[in-house]
Amino acid sequence: MIGPAAPRVRRITRPDAVLRGEEVGAGPTYLLLHAGGERRQVWRPVSEVLVDAGYRCVAFDQRGHGDSEGRARTLSACADDVAAMVRAEPPASVVVGASLGGLAAVAALTDPAARARVAGLVLVDVVPCLDPSRVRRFLDSVGPLNTHSELVEDILAQVPRLRQVTAELDLPVLLVHGDHGSSLTDEDIDQLLHLAPHTTIRPIRGAGHLIARTQPMALAQAIIATSTAWR
């Protein structure tokens, strides 16, 4: 159960996979993209707050995760899925991406049809200017790196492209990051601000990398406080 109503089933058929998700609420739309190794249900506590505030939330399992089919081997495949999700939503949707979801969202915005339907981008404890060696160390510290090693290495190879896309974005951007256990450093945040000076930075006290799990209410409130003016 999310908020006052049960989730409504969503389904998108891709050339090589079926993506399954859910939506809840009514009003301006947030498309919520989970981190690698997660499922769409991680967003439910966040959605409760957003729905109570008068918004509509849509969340899919990314390919190779949860109830969705396919294999998550490349960032471009994940990004193409995100672009298809965005194209299925009303104009002026806000895309919220955690970790893998955030990187896939950045890459998806190279699709003009998707870009035209997005009012803004929320990155949750992730930046496009990744340091490969530090990323590998961080991922290895939280779980076996070989679980998604093919996807991780493909993402790291795409860092120059992600940086370029971010530098060319004309959308408002919000970075919400944790403090204890965050994957980000001050240098990461400075680099993002260099690429996209219009980015708003909001730290969440007591949050780690997976903020939707550790501080869902604070995350939702940060999203509302910044993105309401984007539409």
Short mmCIF file of all heavy atoms in Angstrom, two decimals, residues 156-219:
data_model
loop_
_atom_site.label_atom_id
_atom_site.label_comp_id
_atom_site.label_asym_id
_atom_site.label_seq_id
_atom_site.Cartn_x
_atom_site.Cartn_y
_atom_site.Cartn_z
N LEU A 156 31.79 2.97 -16.32
CA LEU A 156 33.03 3.71 -16.12
C LEU A 156 33.66 4.10 -17.45
O LEU A 156 34.28 5.16 -17.55
CB LEU A 156 33.99 2.87 -15.28
CG LEU A 156 33.53 2.60 -13.84
CD1 LEU A 156 34.52 1.72 -13.11
CD2 LEU A 156 33.30 3.90 -13.08
N ALA A 157 33.47 3.28 -18.46
CA ALA A 157 33.98 3.64 -19.79
C ALA A 157 33.19 4.79 -20.41
O ALA A 157 33.69 5.47 -21.32
CB ALA A 157 33.93 2.42 -20.71
N GLN A 158 31.96 5.02 -19.91
CA GLN A 158 31.10 6.07 -20.46
C GLN A 158 31.24 7.40 -19.73
O GLN A 158 30.53 8.36 -20.05
CB GLN A 158 29.63 5.62 -20.38
CG GLN A 158 29.29 4.37 -21.16
CD GLN A 158 29.49 4.55 -22.64
OE1 GLN A 158 29.19 5.61 -23.19
NE2 GLN A 158 30.00 3.53 -23.30
N VAL A 159 32.15 7.49 -18.76
CA VAL A 159 32.26 8.71 -17.96
C VAL A 159 32.50 9.97 -18.83
O VAL A 159 31.85 11.00 -18.61
CB VAL A 159 33.35 8.57 -16.88
CG1 VAL A 159 33.69 9.92 -16.25
CG2 VAL A 159 32.88 7.61 -15.80
N PRO A 160 33.40 9.94 -19.82
CA PRO A 160 33.56 11.15 -20.65
C PRO A 160 32.26 11.59 -21.31
O PRO A 160 31.95 12.79 -21.37
CB PRO A 160 34.61 10.73 -21.68
CG PRO A 160 35.39 9.64 -20.99
CD PRO A 160 34.37 8.90 -20.18
N ARG A 161 31.48 10.62 -21.79
CA ARG A 161 30.20 10.95 -22.42
C ARG A 161 29.22 11.52 -21.39
O ARG A 161 28.52 12.51 -21.66
CB ARG A 161 29.61 9.69 -23.06
CG ARG A 161 28.20 9.87 -23.63
CD ARG A 161 27.75 8.62 -24.33
NE ARG A 161 26.35 8.69 -24.70
CZ ARG A 161 25.39 7.90 -24.23
NH1 ARG A 161 25.70 6.96 -23.35
NH2 ARG A 161 24.14 8.01 -24.62
N LEU A 162 29.18 10.94 -20.21
CA LEU A 162 28.28 11.43 -19.17
C LEU A 162 28.64 12.86 -18.76
O LEU A 162 27.76 13.70 -18.53
CB LEU A 162 28.34 10.51 -17.95
CG LEU A 162 27.71 9.12 -18.12
CD1 LEU A 162 28.08 8.22 -16.94
CD2 LEU A 162 26.20 9.23 -18.26
N ARG A 163 29.93 13.14 -18.68
CA ARG A 163 30.37 14.50 -18.35
C ARG A 163 29.92 15.48 -19.42
O ARG A 163 29.45 16.58 -19.12
CB ARG A 163 31.89 14.54 -18.20
CG ARG A 163 32.43 13.79 -17.00
CD ARG A 163 33.95 13.80 -17.01
NE ARG A 163 34.48 15.15 -16.94
CZ ARG A 163 34.82 15.77 -15.81
NH1 ARG A 163 34.70 15.15 -14.65
NH2 ARG A 163 35.28 17.01 -15.84
N GLN A 164 30.07 15.09 -20.68
CA GLN A 164 29.69 15.99 -21.78
C GLN A 164 28.19 16.25 -21.77
O GLN A 164 27.75 17.41 -21.93
CB GLN A 164 30.11 15.38 -23.12
CG GLN A 164 29.73 16.25 -24.31
CD GLN A 164 30.17 15.65 -25.64
OE1 GLN A 164 30.83 14.61 -25.66
NE2 GLN A 164 29.82 16.29 -26.72
N VAL A 165 27.40 15.19 -21.59
CA VAL A 165 25.94 15.35 -21.55
C VAL A 165 25.54 16.29 -20.42
O VAL A 165 24.71 17.19 -20.59
CB VAL A 165 25.25 13.98 -21.37
CG1 VAL A 165 23.75 14.16 -21.15
CG2 VAL A 165 25.50 13.09 -22.58
N THR A 166 26.15 16.12 -19.26
CA THR A 166 25.83 16.96 -18.10
C THR A 166 26.18 18.41 -18.36
O THR A 166 25.42 19.33 -18.02
CB THR A 166 26.57 16.45 -16.86
OG1 THR A 166 26.25 15.07 -16.64
CG2 THR A 166 26.19 17.26 -15.63
N ALA A 167 27.33 18.65 -18.99
CA ALA A 167 27.76 20.02 -19.28
C ALA A 167 26.82 20.70 -20.27
O ALA A 167 26.72 21.94 -20.27
CB ALA A 167 29.18 20.00 -19.83
N GLU A 168 26.12 19.91 -21.09
CA GLU A 168 25.23 20.48 -22.09
C GLU A 168 23.78 20.58 -21.63
O GLU A 168 22.93 21.10 -22.35
CB GLU A 168 25.31 19.64 -23.37
CG GLU A 168 26.69 19.70 -24.04
CD GLU A 168 26.83 18.72 -25.19
OE1 GLU A 168 25.90 17.90 -25.39
OE2 GLU A 168 27.86 18.76 -25.89
N LEU A 169 23.49 20.07 -20.42
CA LEU A 169 22.11 20.08 -19.93
C LEU A 169 21.62 21.51 -19.70
O LEU A 169 22.31 22.33 -19.09
CB LEU A 169 22.00 19.31 -18.62
CG LEU A 169 21.91 17.79 -18.68
CD1 LEU A 169 21.79 17.23 -17.27
CD2 LEU A 169 20.74 17.34 -19.53
N ASP A 170 20.42 21.79 -20.16
CA ASP A 170 19.80 23.08 -19.88
C ASP A 170 18.62 22.90 -18.94
O ASP A 170 17.71 23.73 -18.88
CB ASP A 170 19.35 23.76 -21.18
CG ASP A 170 18.37 22.89 -21.98
OD1 ASP A 170 18.17 21.72 -21.60
OD2 ASP A 170 17.81 23.40 -22.96
N LEU A 171 18.64 21.80 -18.19
CA LEU A 171 17.61 21.51 -17.21
C LEU A 171 18.06 21.89 -15.81
O LEU A 171 19.26 21.84 -15.51
CB LEU A 171 17.32 20.01 -17.20
CG LEU A 171 16.59 19.38 -18.37
CD1 LEU A 171 16.61 17.86 -18.23
CD2 LEU A 171 15.16 19.89 -18.44
N PRO A 172 17.14 22.22 -14.91
CA PRO A 172 17.53 22.36 -13.51
C PRO A 172 17.91 21.00 -12.95
O PRO A 172 17.31 19.97 -13.29
CB PRO A 172 16.27 22.91 -12.83
CG PRO A 172 15.15 22.55 -13.75
CD PRO A 172 15.71 22.52 -15.14
N VAL A 173 18.92 20.99 -12.10
CA VAL A 173 19.44 19.74 -11.51
C VAL A 173 19.50 19.91 -10.00
O VAL A 173 19.89 20.97 -9.49
CB VAL A 173 20.84 19.41 -12.06
CG1 VAL A 173 21.38 18.13 -11.41
CG2 VAL A 173 20.81 19.27 -13.58
N LEU A 174 19.11 18.86 -9.30
CA LEU A 174 19.25 18.79 -7.84
C LEU A 174 20.10 17.58 -7.51
O LEU A 174 19.81 16.48 -7.99
CB LEU A 174 17.88 18.67 -7.17
CG LEU A 174 17.87 18.26 -5.69
CD1 LEU A 174 18.53 19.32 -4.82
CD2 LEU A 174 16.44 17.97 -5.22
N LEU A 175 21.15 17.77 -6.72
CA LEU A 175 21.91 16.66 -6.17
C LEU A 175 21.59 16.54 -4.69
O LEU A 175 21.83 17.45 -3.92
CB LEU A 175 23.42 16.87 -6.35
CG LEU A 175 24.31 15.85 -5.61
CD1 LEU A 175 24.12 14.44 -6.19
CD2 LEU A 175 25.77 16.27 -5.66
N VAL A 176 21.03 15.39 -4.33
CA VAL A 176 20.79 15.07 -2.92
C VAL A 176 21.83 14.02 -2.53
O VAL A 176 21.93 12.98 -3.18
CB VAL A 176 19.37 14.51 -2.70
CG1 VAL A 176 19.14 14.24 -1.23
CG2 VAL A 176 18.32 15.47 -3.25
N HIS A 177 22.60 14.31 -1.50
CA HIS A 177 23.65 13.35 -1.13
C HIS A 177 23.66 13.10 0.37
O HIS A 177 23.21 13.94 1.16
CB HIS A 177 25.03 13.84 -1.60
CG HIS A 177 25.52 15.06 -0.89
ND1 HIS A 177 26.28 15.00 0.26
CD2 HIS A 177 25.36 16.38 -1.15
CE1 HIS A 177 26.57 16.22 0.65
NE2 HIS A 177 26.02 17.08 -0.17
N GLY A 178 24.17 11.93 0.74
CA GLY A 178 24.27 11.58 2.15
C GLY A 178 25.54 12.13 2.76
O GLY A 178 26.36 12.76 2.09
N ASP A 179 25.70 11.88 4.05
CA ASP A 179 26.96 12.25 4.69
C ASP A 179 27.70 10.98 5.11
O ASP A 179 28.62 10.55 4.45
CB ASP A 179 26.74 13.21 5.86
CG ASP A 179 25.71 12.73 6.88
OD1 ASP A 179 25.25 11.57 6.78
OD2 ASP A 179 25.36 13.50 7.78
N HIS A 180 27.25 10.31 6.14
CA HIS A 180 27.90 9.09 6.58
C HIS A 180 27.61 7.95 5.61
O HIS A 180 26.47 7.60 5.36
CB HIS A 180 27.40 8.69 7.97
CG HIS A 180 27.98 7.41 8.47
ND1 HIS A 180 29.30 7.29 8.83
CD2 HIS A 180 27.42 6.19 8.65
CE1 HIS A 180 29.53 6.05 9.22
NE2 HIS A 180 28.41 5.37 9.12
N GLY A 181 28.65 7.41 4.99
CA GLY A 181 28.47 6.29 4.08
C GLY A 181 28.13 6.69 2.66
O GLY A 181 27.85 5.83 1.82
N SER A 182 28.14 7.99 2.36
CA SER A 182 27.89 8.43 0.99
C SER A 182 29.03 7.98 0.08
O SER A 182 30.17 7.83 0.51
CB SER A 182 27.77 9.95 0.94
OG SER A 182 27.74 10.41 -0.39
N SER A 183 28.70 7.80 -1.19
CA SER A 183 29.72 7.45 -2.18
C SER A 183 30.45 8.68 -2.70
O SER A 183 31.43 8.55 -3.44
CB SER A 183 29.08 6.71 -3.35
OG SER A 183 28.18 7.57 -4.04
N LEU A 184 29.99 9.88 -2.33
CA LEU A 184 30.51 11.11 -2.92
C LEU A 184 31.48 11.83 -2.00
O LEU A 184 31.40 11.74 -0.78
CB LEU A 184 29.36 12.06 -3.26
CG LEU A 184 28.27 11.50 -4.19
CD1 LEU A 184 27.26 12.59 -4.51
CD2 LEU A 184 28.87 10.93 -5.46
N THR A 185 32.40 12.58 -2.62
CA THR A 185 33.33 13.43 -1.89
C THR A 185 33.05 14.89 -2.25
O THR A 185 32.32 15.19 -3.21
CB THR A 185 34.78 13.09 -2.26
OG1 THR A 185 34.98 13.42 -3.66
CG2 THR A 185 35.07 11.61 -2.05
N ASP A 186 33.67 15.80 -1.52
CA ASP A 186 33.55 17.22 -1.85
C ASP A 186 34.07 17.50 -3.25
O ASP A 186 33.54 18.36 -3.97
CB ASP A 186 34.32 18.06 -0.83
CG ASP A 186 33.67 18.05 0.55
OD1 ASP A 186 32.48 17.70 0.65
OD2 ASP A 186 34.36 18.40 1.52
N GLU A 187 35.10 16.78 -3.66
CA GLU A 187 35.65 16.97 -5.01
C GLU A 187 34.63 16.57 -6.06
O GLU A 187 34.50 17.24 -7.10
CB GLU A 187 36.93 16.14 -5.17
CG GLU A 187 37.57 16.32 -6.54
CD GLU A 187 38.83 15.47 -6.71
OE1 GLU A 187 39.26 14.83 -5.72
OE2 GLU A 187 39.38 15.46 -7.82
N ASP A 188 33.89 15.49 -5.82
CA ASP A 188 32.85 15.07 -6.76
C ASP A 188 31.81 16.17 -6.93
O ASP A 188 31.37 16.48 -8.05
CB ASP A 188 32.14 13.80 -6.26
CG ASP A 188 33.03 12.58 -6.27
OD1 ASP A 188 33.89 12.48 -7.16
OD2 ASP A 188 32.86 11.72 -5.39
N ILE A 189 31.39 16.74 -5.81
CA ILE A 189 30.37 17.78 -5.85
C ILE A 189 30.90 19.02 -6.57
O ILE A 189 30.19 19.64 -7.39
CB ILE A 189 29.91 18.11 -4.43
CG1 ILE A 189 29.22 16.89 -3.81
CG2 ILE A 189 28.97 19.32 -4.43
CD1 ILE A 189 28.95 17.01 -2.33
N ASP A 190 32.15 19.38 -6.32
CA ASP A 190 32.76 20.53 -7.00
C ASP A 190 32.81 20.29 -8.51
O ASP A 190 32.56 21.21 -9.30
CB ASP A 190 34.16 20.79 -6.47
CG ASP A 190 34.16 21.36 -5.06
OD1 ASP A 190 33.09 21.85 -4.62
OD2 ASP A 190 35.21 21.32 -4.40
N GLN A 191 33.15 19.09 -8.91
CA GLN A 191 33.21 18.78 -10.34
C GLN A 191 31.84 18.87 -10.99
O GLN A 191 31.69 19.37 -12.11
CB GLN A 191 33.80 17.39 -10.56
CG GLN A 191 35.29 17.30 -10.30
CD GLN A 191 35.88 15.99 -10.79
OE1 GLN A 191 35.60 15.54 -11.90
NE2 GLN A 191 36.69 15.36 -9.96
N LEU A 192 30.80 18.40 -10.27
CA LEU A 192 29.45 18.52 -10.81
C LEU A 192 29.07 19.99 -10.98
O LEU A 192 28.50 20.39 -12.01
CB LEU A 192 28.45 17.82 -9.89
CG LEU A 192 26.97 17.98 -10.29
CD1 LEU A 192 26.70 17.40 -11.67
CD2 LEU A 192 26.06 17.33 -9.24
N LEU A 193 29.38 20.81 -9.99
CA LEU A 193 29.06 22.23 -10.08
C LEU A 193 29.83 22.91 -11.20
O LEU A 193 29.36 23.88 -11.80
CB LEU A 193 29.36 22.91 -8.74
CG LEU A 193 28.39 22.55 -7.60
CD1 LEU A 193 28.89 23.10 -6.28
CD2 LEU A 193 26.99 23.09 -7.91
N HIS A 194 31.02 22.42 -11.48
CA HIS A 194 31.79 22.95 -12.61
C HIS A 194 31.10 22.60 -13.93
O HIS A 194 31.03 23.44 -14.84
CB HIS A 194 33.21 22.38 -12.59
CG HIS A 194 34.05 22.83 -13.76
ND1 HIS A 194 34.56 24.11 -13.87
CD2 HIS A 194 34.46 22.16 -14.88
CE1 HIS A 194 35.24 24.21 -15.00
NE2 HIS A 194 35.19 23.05 -15.63
N LEU A 195 30.58 21.38 -14.03
CA LEU A 195 29.90 20.95 -15.26
C LEU A 195 28.54 21.61 -15.41
O LEU A 195 28.15 22.00 -16.50
CB LEU A 195 29.73 19.43 -15.27
CG LEU A 195 30.97 18.57 -15.40
CD1 LEU A 195 30.63 17.10 -15.18
CD2 LEU A 195 31.63 18.75 -16.76
N ALA A 196 27.82 21.69 -14.28
CA ALA A 196 26.45 22.22 -14.31
C ALA A 196 26.29 23.21 -13.15
O ALA A 196 25.78 22.87 -12.08
CB ALA A 196 25.44 21.08 -14.18
N PRO A 197 26.74 24.44 -13.34
CA PRO A 197 26.74 25.44 -12.24
C PRO A 197 25.35 25.73 -11.67
O PRO A 197 25.24 26.24 -10.55
CB PRO A 197 27.33 26.68 -12.90
CG PRO A 197 28.06 26.19 -14.11
CD PRO A 197 27.31 24.98 -14.58
N HIS A 198 24.31 25.42 -12.44
CA HIS A 198 22.94 25.68 -11.98
C HIS A 198 22.43 24.61 -11.03
O HIS A 198 21.27 24.67 -10.60
CB HIS A 198 22.01 25.77 -13.20
CG HIS A 198 22.12 24.60 -14.12
ND1 HIS A 198 23.17 24.45 -14.99
CD2 HIS A 198 21.32 23.52 -14.30
CE1 HIS A 198 23.02 23.34 -15.67
NE2 HIS A 198 21.91 22.75 -15.27
N THR A 199 23.24 23.62 -10.68
CA THR A 199 22.82 22.53 -9.81
C THR A 199 22.62 23.02 -8.37
O THR A 199 23.42 23.79 -7.84
CB THR A 199 23.88 21.41 -9.79
OG1 THR A 199 24.04 20.91 -11.13
CG2 THR A 199 23.46 20.26 -8.89
N THR A 200 21.54 22.56 -7.76
CA THR A 200 21.29 22.80 -6.34
C THR A 200 21.79 21.59 -5.55
O THR A 200 21.54 20.45 -5.94
CB THR A 200 19.78 22.99 -6.07
OG1 THR A 200 19.31 24.12 -6.82
CG2 THR A 200 19.51 23.20 -4.59
N ILE A 201 22.49 21.84 -4.45
CA ILE A 201 23.05 20.77 -3.63
C ILE A 201 22.30 20.71 -2.31
O ILE A 201 22.18 21.73 -1.61
CB ILE A 201 24.55 21.00 -3.34
CG1 ILE A 201 25.32 21.27 -4.65
CG2 ILE A 201 25.14 19.81 -2.60
CD1 ILE A 201 25.35 20.13 -5.62
N ARG A 202 21.81 19.54 -1.96
CA ARG A 202 21.13 19.36 -0.68
C ARG A 202 21.66 18.12 0.04
O ARG A 202 21.36 16.99 -0.35
CB ARG A 202 19.61 19.22 -0.87
CG ARG A 202 18.92 20.53 -1.22
CD ARG A 202 17.41 20.38 -1.18
NE ARG A 202 16.75 21.65 -1.41
CZ ARG A 202 16.37 22.49 -0.46
NH1 ARG A 202 16.61 22.18 0.81
NH2 ARG A 202 15.77 23.63 -0.75
N PRO A 203 22.44 18.30 1.10
CA PRO A 203 22.90 17.15 1.89
C PRO A 203 21.79 16.67 2.83
O PRO A 203 20.96 17.46 3.28
CB PRO A 203 24.08 17.73 2.68
CG PRO A 203 23.77 19.18 2.81
CD PRO A 203 23.01 19.57 1.56
N ILE A 204 21.80 15.37 3.08
CA ILE A 204 20.85 14.77 4.01
C ILE A 204 21.63 14.18 5.18
O ILE A 204 22.40 13.24 5.00
CB ILE A 204 20.01 13.66 3.34
CG1 ILE A 204 19.26 14.19 2.12
CG2 ILE A 204 19.04 13.04 4.35
CD1 ILE A 204 18.19 15.20 2.43
N ARG A 205 21.44 14.74 6.35
CA ARG A 205 22.17 14.27 7.52
C ARG A 205 21.69 12.87 7.92
O ARG A 205 20.50 12.55 7.87
CB ARG A 205 21.97 15.22 8.69
CG ARG A 205 22.58 16.60 8.46
CD ARG A 205 22.41 17.49 9.67
NE ARG A 205 23.10 16.94 10.84
CZ ARG A 205 23.06 17.49 12.04
NH1 ARG A 205 22.36 18.59 12.25
NH2 ARG A 205 23.71 16.93 13.04
N GLY A 206 22.66 12.04 8.29
CA GLY A 206 22.33 10.69 8.74
C GLY A 206 22.01 9.73 7.62
O GLY A 206 21.51 8.62 7.87
N ALA A 207 22.29 10.12 6.37
CA ALA A 207 21.99 9.26 5.22
C ALA A 207 23.27 8.68 4.65
O ALA A 207 24.32 9.33 4.66
CB ALA A 207 21.25 10.05 4.14
N GLY A 208 23.17 7.47 4.14
CA GLY A 208 24.28 6.85 3.43
C GLY A 208 24.06 6.96 1.94
O GLY A 208 23.43 7.91 1.45
N HIS A 209 24.55 5.97 1.19
CA HIS A 209 24.43 6.00 -0.26
C HIS A 209 22.98 5.77 -0.70
O HIS A 209 22.49 6.44 -1.60
CB HIS A 209 25.34 4.93 -0.86
CG HIS A 209 25.30 4.84 -2.35
ND1 HIS A 209 25.52 5.94 -3.16
CD2 HIS A 209 25.04 3.80 -3.18
CE1 HIS A 209 25.42 5.57 -4.43
NE2 HIS A 209 25.12 4.28 -4.47
N LEU A 210 22.29 4.85 -0.06
CA LEU A 210 20.92 4.51 -0.45
C LEU A 210 19.94 5.33 0.39
O LEU A 210 19.32 4.84 1.34
CB LEU A 210 20.68 3.00 -0.28
CG LEU A 210 21.60 2.11 -1.14
CD1 LEU A 210 21.38 0.65 -0.80
CD2 LEU A 210 21.40 2.38 -2.62
N ILE A 211 19.80 6.59 0.04
CA ILE A 211 19.04 7.53 0.85
C ILE A 211 17.55 7.18 0.89
O ILE A 211 16.87 7.41 1.90
CB ILE A 211 19.24 8.97 0.33
CG1 ILE A 211 20.73 9.31 0.32
CG2 ILE A 211 18.48 9.97 1.20
CD1 ILE A 211 21.05 10.67 -0.25
N ALA A 212 17.04 6.58 -0.18
CA ALA A 212 15.63 6.18 -0.18
C ALA A 212 15.34 5.16 0.91
O ALA A 212 14.21 5.07 1.41
CB ALA A 212 15.24 5.61 -1.54
N ARG A 213 16.35 4.41 1.31
CA ARG A 213 16.19 3.42 2.39
C ARG A 213 16.40 4.05 3.76
O ARG A 213 15.65 3.78 4.71
CB ARG A 213 17.18 2.28 2.22
CG ARG A 213 16.81 1.26 1.16
CD ARG A 213 17.73 0.05 1.22
NE ARG A 213 17.36 -0.95 0.25
CZ ARG A 213 16.42 -1.86 0.44
NH1 ARG A 213 15.76 -1.88 1.60
NH2 ARG A 213 16.14 -2.75 -0.49
N THR A 214 17.43 4.89 3.88
CA THR A 214 17.84 5.36 5.21
C THR A 214 17.12 6.62 5.67
O THR A 214 16.86 6.79 6.86
CB THR A 214 19.36 5.60 5.26
OG1 THR A 214 19.71 6.56 4.24
CG2 THR A 214 20.12 4.31 4.99
N GLN A 215 16.79 7.51 4.71
CA GLN A 215 16.13 8.77 5.06
C GLN A 215 15.08 9.13 4.01
O GLN A 215 15.16 10.18 3.35
CB GLN A 215 17.16 9.90 5.16
CG GLN A 215 18.16 9.75 6.29
CD GLN A 215 17.54 10.04 7.64
OE1 GLN A 215 16.43 10.56 7.74
NE2 GLN A 215 18.24 9.70 8.71
N PRO A 216 14.05 8.28 3.83
CA PRO A 216 13.08 8.53 2.75
C PRO A 216 12.29 9.83 2.92
O PRO A 216 12.03 10.53 1.94
CB PRO A 216 12.17 7.30 2.81
CG PRO A 216 12.33 6.75 4.19
CD PRO A 216 13.75 7.04 4.56
N MET A 217 11.89 10.16 4.15
CA MET A 217 11.09 11.39 4.35
C MET A 217 11.92 12.63 4.03
O MET A 217 11.46 13.55 3.35
CB MET A 217 10.55 11.45 5.77
CG MET A 217 9.67 12.67 6.01
SD MET A 217 8.83 12.65 7.60
CE MET A 217 7.68 11.30 7.32
N ALA A 218 13.17 12.63 4.52
CA ALA A 218 14.04 13.78 4.25
C ALA A 218 14.32 13.90 2.76
O ALA A 218 14.39 15.01 2.22
CB ALA A 218 15.34 13.65 5.03
N LEU A 219 14.49 12.77 2.08
CA LEU A 219 14.72 12.79 0.63
C LEU A 219 13.51 13.38 -0.08
O LEU A 219 13.65 14.26 -0.95
CB LEU A 219 15.01 11.37 0.13
CG LEU A 219 15.12 11.19 -1.38
CD1 LEU A 219 16.18 12.09 -1.99
CD2 LEU A 219 15.40 9.72 -1.72
#
